[in-house]
Amino acid sequence: EELNGFTIFDACEKPIGKIIRLVEMPQQLLAEVSYQQQLVLIPVVEDWILHFDKRKKRIDMDLPEGLLPD
């Protein structure tokens, strides 16, 4: 499914950023997101997805500590 334009939120419902594009790697799918004016890659891991709302173009994720830059 095409996820470009979906917004990723953390477990506290704070917006992380919009998905700019998906990057397919042999081991996993990565979402390229603009976060605090820099591009970051977030692994699209099913176990990390708390809620997916196609209509609102929203993905709530429980991201591990240290994944995003400070």
Side-chain angles (χ1 to χ4, degrees), residues 6-64:
F6 276 67
T7 301
I8 295 177
F9 289 80
D10 67 13
C12 298
E13 298 192 15
K14 177 184 167 194
I16 301 298
K18 281 193 177 188
I19 297 175
I20 297 167
R21 69 183 180 112
L22 295 176
V23 179
E24 289 191 51
M25 300 299 281
Q27 301 86 359
Q28 63 191 19
L29 186 63
L30 301 169
E32 185 176 42
V33 175
S34 178
Y35 174 73
Q36 296 182 349
Q37 300 179 351
Q38 53 187 317
L39 295 178
V40 295
L41 293 174
I42 298 176
V44 180
V45 177
E46 191 172 340
D47 289 345
W48 296 356
I49 296 174
L50 301 172
H51 182 75
F52 179 86
D53 190 325
K54 186 175 183 178
R55 187 176 54 82
K56 293 182 180 178
K57 297 187 95 173
R58 175 183 175 129
I59 304 170
D60 296 332
M61 297 184 77
D62 186 14
L63 301 175

